[in-house]
Amino acid sequence: MLPEDKKLRAVIRGLPVDMPPMEIISDLATQGFQIEECHNMVSCKTGEPMPLFMLSMERSEKHKTIFKTVTSIGYVKVIVEILRKKYGLLPPPPVLQMPRLFPLQQILHAHTQVCKVRRKSPGERIHEDTCRKTQVLPL
């Protein structure tokens, strides 16, 4: 399927869970948008309806303006967002976690210390050498 043939999908946040989808479609029709489908989204974990409604419409320049122009539906202030497939409904985590080390590397990493040794030779200034002290624990 070509990208031009795909439907434009949007998510509406801020509406009550018990609002009928037909009311949303009729209100958006009065604002000039032809909505093909509208349904309440359901949580995968609990199976309960969430206060999110997914809209499906034809991809056109007029329908692409829905994200900026629609601010209220039925006297309720709403936010219209693009449907994010990859991460579901939540935004991606702000910081990706580093991969965990193998158990042996964790033990070695936890007991490695960096210390500075000061030495003074007679008649010379103090200079610093760095060394690594590693303590290996028995497994």
Side-chain angles (χ1 to χ4, degrees):
M1 181 178 282
L2 296 174
E4 300 87 28
D5 297 338
K6 291 184 179 179
K7 301 290 182 190
L8 182 65
R9 292 184 180 165
V11 174
I12 299 177
R13 294 179 180 266
L15 290 174
V17 177
D18 57 348
M19 186 165 192
M22 291 308 293
E23 273 187 43
I24 298 169
I25 292 173
S26 64
D27 192 89
L28 289 172
T30 59
Q31 295 183 31
F33 297 101
Q34 296 292 338
I35 308 299
E36 294 176 3
E37 290 181 43
C38 176
H39 65 272
N40 195 352
M41 299 182 83
V42 179
S43 173
C44 294
K45 293 181 182 178
T46 61
E48 296 179 10
M50 297 185 292
L52 303 171
F53 289 85
M54 190 180 83
L55 305 174
S56 178
M57 62 198 100
E58 183 180 327
R59 187 176 295 269
S60 68
E61 293 301 319
K62 169 66 176 159
H63 287 144
K64 288 181 183 178
T65 62
I66 193 170
F67 304 109
K68 295 179 182 176
T69 57
V70 175
T71 57
S72 65
I73 295 176
Y75 304 107
V76 178
K77 188 175 179 180
V78 297
I79 299 170
V80 182
E81 299 175 343
I82 297 173
L83 176 68
R84 294 183 292 256
K85 288 184 183 180
K86 186 173 182 180
Y87 298 105
L89 300 175
L90 300 175
V95 178
L96 297 176
Q97 294 181 351
M98 294 297 292
R100 296 189 64 184
L101 301 173
F102 292 107
L104 181 60
Q105 289 176 333
Q106 286 179 338
I107 293 169
L108 291 177
H109 182 70
H111 298 288
T112 301
Q113 300 174 354
V114 176
C115 63
K116 291 189 176 185
V117 179
R118 293 182 176 213
R119 297 182 184 158
K120 184 175 181 184
S121 303
E124 293 183 18
R125 59 188 169 103
I126 298 175
H127 63 282
E128 296 180 353
D129 294 332
T130 57
C131 66
R132 288 189 160 271
K133 292 182 180 178
T134 307
Q135 178 185 5
V136 179
L137 298 176
L139 294 177

